[in-house]
Amino acid sequence: MLLGLVGKTNVGKTTFFSAATLVEAERENRPFVTINPNEGVGYVRVKSVCTEFGLKCDPKYGWCNGRNRYVPVKLLDVAGLVRGASKGRGLGNKFLDDLRRASVNVIVVDASGSTDDEGNPVPPSSHDPVEDVMIVKEEFALWVASIVERSKSKIRGRIVGGSPVDAALHEVLSGLDIDREIIKAVLKELSLERPPMDWSDDDLISFSREILRRGKPFVVAANKVDVPEAEDNVKRMREVLEEPVIPVSAEAELILRKAAKAGLISYEPGDPDFEVIDESKLNAAQLRALEAIRERVLRKYGSTGVQETLETAVYDVLGMKVVFPVENETKLSDKDGNVLPDAILLPRDATVRDLAEKIHSEIAKKALYGIDVRERRRISLDYVLRHRDVVKIVAAR
Ligand SMILES: Nc1nc2c(ncn2[C@@H]2O[C@H](COP(=O)(O)OP(=O)(O)OP(=O)(O)O)[C@@H](O)[C@H]2O)c(=O)[nH]1
Ligand SMILES: [Mg+2]
């Protein structure tokens, strides 16, 4: 499960990444600071199951505060782009290659409009962030089109050898990890079932846009909402964009998480507010900065938006669910007594068998049935699991 962070240069991708992962990485107010990708672990929340059962869990990965369990997801922060990136402008398109592995990409934009087309700082509201979303989507599509273009002789070979058009395209685009069914449906809908060698440039770009729209969804993080000018832009982005738009202040989240780590405030990612632990440990400027975050971001938008962005991507857009496998259905533990040690992210339609497969292929081979621990009933291997199910898998010896 990998989430990519993509966007114009100098909009706050790395700040978002550091806020979500607490991995230190270079950030600065100028274009093209990030060159090599940063990889780290962020978390999505799921309402605590242990509290519901009157227990305290022992997560193997992530943590739990009794309200929420934080489940790990990988994040990838890449170099920024500018118009023409797919043709090599700016830092070019290598980063698009890096993002192929991501199941969903977060487009980070400067919603305050204080960076121009090339990522240079300008006064707030000078630039339209809607355009930046369009540029990212278009550069992605142009990049996919260029892969198809480059692979035409291979595609021709496959088709001559008897492969259907969708299979040949699926093969050359395999790195994108888009279902063949999606490619097939798009070809049909756009009446492009003839070989790509006979397509016009417009056909090629329409095809590329459409497979991305269906196979590589985006979520928009409207960053820098601590800047007042961002408010109107967020409203407008919500009106004109088809993607979910989440108001975000990555800088605020980073400050809050660092202050919490230093023991200065109590704050958990995604919380609607924080509490100062010991005022005497903070100077006047730090207190003012924290108060500004409270007023401009938390009170106005309900949170810094970083968690909400990750959760919208994982739960709403990808439709993932979290399932808790246990070995002991009375103690809700593994064989060593660790309570609810694992929290596993699974696709929407995943069954008990899929869960078994995810735990261990040996277990999957021997699995007989599952037990829904909450409802104390037997469930078949084909049972489609629900979000927050606690499951014991019973296997043959
Ligand atoms: N006001 C405000 N500034 C922010 C926020 N997030 C990031 N910034 C500022 O934006 C500038 C760029 O941040 P980076 O995180 O380096 O941006 P990037 O998109 O990774 O940039 P490149 O890697 O150079 O493409 C820095 O000066 C940050 O302090 C935010 O939420 N609010
Ligand atoms: Mg960066």
Side-chain angles (χ1 to χ4, degrees), residues 9-15 28-29 32-34 223 226 250-251:
T9 183
N10 200 22
V11 294
K13 295 177 296 300
T14 302
T15 309
E28 222 181 297
N29 192 11
F32 302 123
V33 172
T34 306
N223 193 30
D226 49 286
E251 191 80 50

